[in-house]
């Protein structure tokens, strides 16, 4: 699928109503995670035969990602989804760490454990970004939106597509509305 097609799909999915079935929101979150992967470049120093998507505290999102994984090959790699728990959350081999943990302490610890590694950290709130996460999928005015902390992205040595950044709300950097 072309970059324009992927962005179109992401935009279309962004308009899913917050009043929709929780399963629909979970599926949208999982789809957004895969789209974030498509628009992220990892440094060459993050070798792996599989693209590791790790999930902490969001079992429903992990389930949706697992359903999508067999059909998904990202960056010429097979996607492998791993569940982590707060007591043994070793995310150092992950390419993506999705944190849905409502407990702020667990989320902060997970992000802190990979903050200087090439791991794209994704959460579900602006607070997650303020705690050092790189990206967040936030329900905003009944729509799913992407918010990005560019400082955290740079610290992890990652590069996000300028097209993705033009759609995102920027947090912990220059506050701007999408497209500005």
């Amino acid at each position: 699928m072309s970059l324009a097609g992927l962005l179109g799909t992401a935009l279309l999915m962004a308009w899913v109503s917050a009043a929709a079935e929780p399963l629909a929101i979970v599926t949208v979150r999982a789809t957004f995670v895969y789209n974030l992967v498509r628009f992220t470049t990892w440094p060459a120093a993050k070798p792996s035969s599989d693209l590791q998507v790790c999930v902490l505290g969001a079992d429903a999102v992990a389930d949706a990602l697992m359903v999508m994984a067999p059909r998904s090959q990202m960056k010429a790699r097979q996607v492998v989804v791993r569940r982590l728990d707060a007591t043994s959350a070793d995310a150092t081999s992950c390419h993506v760490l999705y944190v849905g943990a409502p407990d702020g302490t667990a989320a902060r610890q997970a992000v802190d454990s990979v903050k200087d590694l090439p791991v794209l950290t994704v959460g579900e709130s602006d607070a997650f970004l303020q705690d050092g996460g790189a990206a967040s999928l936030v329900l905003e005015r009944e729509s799913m939106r992407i918010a990005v902390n560019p400082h955290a992205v740079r610290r992890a040595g990652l590069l996000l597509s300028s097209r993705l950044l033009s759609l995102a709300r920027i947090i912990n950097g220059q506050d701007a509305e999408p497209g500005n």
Side-chain angles (χ1 to χ4, degrees), residues 17-40:
S17 168
E21 295 287 324
L23 181 59
I25 291 173
V26 166
T27 302
V28 170
R29 287 188 190 281
T31 301
F32 268 68
V33 169
Y34 280 122
N35 282 321
L36 283 168
V37 169
R38 291 181 197 274
F39 298 114
T40 302

Side-chain angles (χ1 to χ4, degrees), residues 6 13 47 64 72 79 97 103 105-106 122 128 138 145 150 165 172:
L6 291 173
M13 298 302 289
S72 302
V79 175
L97 173 60
D103 175 358
T105 303
V122 182
F128 177 79
V138 182
R145 298 293 304 265
L165 290 172
N172 278 350

Side-chain angles (χ1 to χ4, degrees), residues 28 53-54 58 103 111 119 135 146 175 178:
V28 170
V53 178
C54 301
D103 175 358
V111 171
V119 176
I146 298 172
D175 256 347

Side-chain angles (χ1 to χ4, degrees), residues 141-158:
R141 293 187 295 263
E142 299 185 12
S143 298
M144 187 73 66
R145 298 293 304 265
I146 298 172
V148 172
N149 176 344
H151 174 73
V153 172
R154 282 190 300 277
R155 184 185 64 222
L158 304 174

